[in-house]
Amino acid sequence: MKIIDMHCDTISRIYQQRKQGKEADLRENSFQVDLLKMKQADYLLQNFAIFIDLGETDCPYETFHSQLAIFQEEMNKNSDIISPVASYSEIKSNTQKGKMSALLTLEEGEACGGSLKYLQEMYNCGVRMMTFTWNFPNSLGYPAEPAPFLQLKYRPGVKNRNAQPVNYSRQNKGLTTLGREFLDKMEYLGIIADVSHLSDQGIKDVCEAARKPFCASHSNARSLCQRGRNLPDSLIRSIAEKGGIIGVNYYGPFLSDIPDEHHCCFSRVRDIALHIRHITDLGGISCIGLGSDFDGIDDNLELKNCGQMELLAQELKKCGFYEREIEQIFYRNVLNFYYELL
């Protein structure tokens, strides 16, 4: 069965490994995602995120370009089995050629430094999906689970004269005025808005202002696991009503509140399936996809890597999903979403 995964951090993991002087490649590695494991599992497309931690860099724009260079290098080296895509027609062309597709995404909108000009540049570089935030407030909005501001190496609105300073004390912390401008520009350009990591109020702001469908590329259901990063039922319904997609996340602490005997929230395939069931019960079968968060999460996983996706297919059957519904979850819903937006 074909697979589309809306979020992994493998490019950023390669970047971090190389910064430490270690070898790391995309074709074959010991990570949760590599191209050989993807091919074995019959992946159609993988979203590769450039992830930027504002607690680790004082220049997110430069960090973006450092990781972009790695993405481009790996795509060139492995062009026999995968090619980058920026449109639905390119996905279709790769599939006809027997190649997998790679869609470039950005996790942390502050890489643009609050500049619409830089957003245009990101689009020109191939970015087709972007989160407004990660875990730090920025010039675009406020995150679901904000890390302490004191950890920031980068201060939005300080280094870049064009960036809008953030009012961290305001009560309804959603999108800023600049964040709304970015949403308008993203929709105009063709960059899909990704509300994963955004606060509840921020997601409500996107629901109210968006003219096109958007996604939560790697988020789960708060009713099943009480984490701010997970979506409350009301927002699951709102995203579905807007024609959006929610990619279920495999991270143990986002799947269950109950730790095991080792005080670890282990990621069980059963729990992934239960979140999928809950989201589909609320928003319908067409609103769900996969957003593993592989290589951005720990190794406390029953589904160890991208080569073991059959485990999830089997569990979904046990949960009462039909084969055609599992196909929708695994790839058809996201493919239709990209057909509409790319």
Side-chain angles (χ1 to χ4, degrees):
M1 186 181 299
K2 296 292 182 185
I3 298 163
I4 296 178
D5 182 354
M6 297 180 75
H7 187 86
C8 79
D9 290 303
T10 312
I11 297 300
S12 297
R13 187 163 180 184
I14 292 172
Y15 168 73
Q16 292 295 339
Q17 289 286 106
R18 292 183 183 179
K19 276 182 66 177
Q20 299 170 26
K22 301 175 183 177
E23 290 188 7
D25 296 286
L26 187 59
R27 192 177 190 93
E28 185 174 15
N29 56 52
S30 60
F31 304 158
Q32 292 158 350
V33 172
D34 69 29
L35 298 182
L36 296 187
K37 290 192 283 281
M38 284 172 57
K39 191 169 179 61
Q40 171 193 337
D42 200 19
Y43 269 63
L44 189 156
L45 183 149
Q46 175 68 58
N47 284 14
F48 286 100
I50 291 180
F51 160 62
I52 295 167
D53 183 348
L54 299 183
E56 297 292 332
T57 180
D58 58 4
C59 189
Y61 174 79
E62 290 182 4
T63 302
F64 166 82
H65 278 283
S66 296
Q67 294 189 41
L68 174 65
I70 291 174
F71 175 77
Q72 293 170 335
E73 172 195 336
E74 292 298 326
M75 290 298 106
N76 289 332
K77 285 192 325 189
N78 297 288
S79 60
D80 58 322
I81 56 175
I82 193 167
S83 289
V85 294
S87 66
Y88 178 83
S89 63
E90 290 175 334
I91 298 172
K92 185 176 179 181
S93 175
N94 279 350
T95 304
Q96 291 171 342
K97 294 174 184 175
K99 286 188 181 185
M100 298 181 291
S101 293
L103 189 74
L104 185 64
T105 74
L106 174 57
E107 186 175 25
E108 177 52 78
E110 198 58 40
C112 299
S115 167
L116 292 170
K117 175 184 174 183
Y118 284 167
L119 179 64
Q120 174 75 61
E121 181 183 331
M122 303 295 177
Y123 175 83
N124 294 343
C125 290
V127 171
R128 290 298 181 269
M129 182 183 294
M130 187 181 86
T131 69
F132 293 89
T133 62
W134 183 58
N135 289 346
F136 294 103
N138 64 22
S139 62
L140 306 182
Y142 204 86
E145 293 189 352
F149 183 59
L150 291 175
Q151 292 182 9
L152 273 171
K153 289 185 72 173
Y154 174 86
R155 294 290 197 272
V158 175
K159 287 221 164 197
N160 186 331
R161 294 179 185 175
N162 296 320
Q164 175 179 313
V166 177
N167 179 0
Y168 295 99
S169 64
R170 69 196 188 106
Q171 293 180 346
N172 297 317
K173 294 172 178 163
L175 288 185
T176 63
T177 300
L178 183 62
R180 289 175 179 270
E181 292 178 17
F182 262 65
L183 175 60
D184 288 343
K185 185 69 170 180
M186 288 162 69
E187 291 191 324
Y188 172 78
L189 290 173
I191 297 176
I192 298 168
D194 183 354
V195 298
S196 284
H197 286 284
L198 195 58
S199 67
D200 287 0
Q201 182 58 52
I203 299 174
K204 291 175 185 176
D205 292 342
V206 174
C207 287
E208 291 171 2
R211 299 183 302 275
K212 294 182 178 181
F214 56 91
C215 72
S217 67
H218 55 303
S219 295
N220 291 345
R222 198 177 298 170
S223 288
L224 301 187
C225 179
Q226 293 292 316
R227 288 291 297 264
R229 265 283 283 113
N230 289 342
L231 297 165
D233 289 354
S234 60
L235 289 180
I236 291 172
R237 291 190 188 96
S238 295
I239 292 169
E241 287 168 1
K242 296 287 287 190
I245 293 281
I246 299 164
V248 69
N249 191 313
Y250 306 169
Y251 184 40
F254 294 167
L255 290 167
S256 174
D257 295 313
I258 304 171
D260 61 19
E261 64 273 17
H262 304 294
H263 307 287
C264 166
C265 289
F266 190 78
S267 172
R268 292 179 172 81
V269 178
R270 174 68 175 175
D271 289 324
I272 299 172
L274 289 175
H275 278 263
I276 290 173
R277 170 56 74 190
H278 183 81
I279 292 169
T280 57
D281 285 347
L282 290 171
I285 190 65
S286 297
C287 81
I288 190 73
L290 304 176
S292 67
D293 211 0
F294 273 148
D295 290 321
I297 57 178
D298 58 37
D299 289 319
N300 297 311
L301 305 164
E302 182 181 3
L303 204 170
K304 294 292 185 186
N305 58 58
C306 69
Q308 299 182 350
M309 292 300 296
E310 183 58 32
L311 291 175
L312 181 55
Q314 293 169 1
E315 194 62 45
L316 289 171
K317 289 177 185 176
K318 293 178 185 177
C319 283
F321 286 98
Y322 297 113
E323 188 76 15
R324 58 179 173 76
E325 294 176 318
I326 297 172
E327 284 190 355
Q328 285 182 265
I329 295 162
F330 267 43
Y331 78 98
R332 288 195 184 278
N333 287 340
V334 180
L335 189 62
N336 290 338
F337 183 69
Y338 289 163
Y339 175 77
E340 181 176 358
L341 296 173
L342 293 180

